[in-house]
Amino acid sequence: MTTIIAGKCWQCGSELTAHEYGRETVCLKCGKPTRVCRNCRWYDPACTNQCREPLAEKVQDKTRANYCDYFEPSADPRAGDAPGDADHRQAAEDLFK
């Protein structure tokens, strides 16, 4: 029997299966909740309310479990993180090459 990986934990990057995204489920590796905005495919720090789903209700704490009807596990939730200062500096320097 093969386990199908649905996504990864937003905190530690541990692989999660579809049944590990329950309302009260936590990551077995780091103990953080899994059904959170930061673990959703719609999460985007650059958008209004940090969500690309326009009908979703605003959630204040993106790292706490919630009841959002639009939640879908993200394949790589850490890819949506805002770039660090080094990335900003490199991008600025690349403009003047």
Side-chain angles (χ1 to χ4, degrees), residues 33-76:
T34 55
R35 190 181 175 95
V36 299
C37 292
R38 292 287 307 268
N39 233 16
C40 182
R41 72 177 286 244
W42 300 112
Y43 174 74
D44 185 351
C47 290
T48 303
N49 297 332
Q50 298 178 330
C51 184
R52 285 183 278 136
E53 174 51 59
L55 299 177
E57 291 183 30
K58 184 175 182 178
V59 175
Q60 293 294 331
D61 188 348
K62 306 296 185 198
T63 62
R64 291 187 61 189
N66 60 63
Y67 290 103
C68 182
D69 292 331
Y70 299 101
F71 177 83
E72 292 180 35
S74 173
D76 190 8

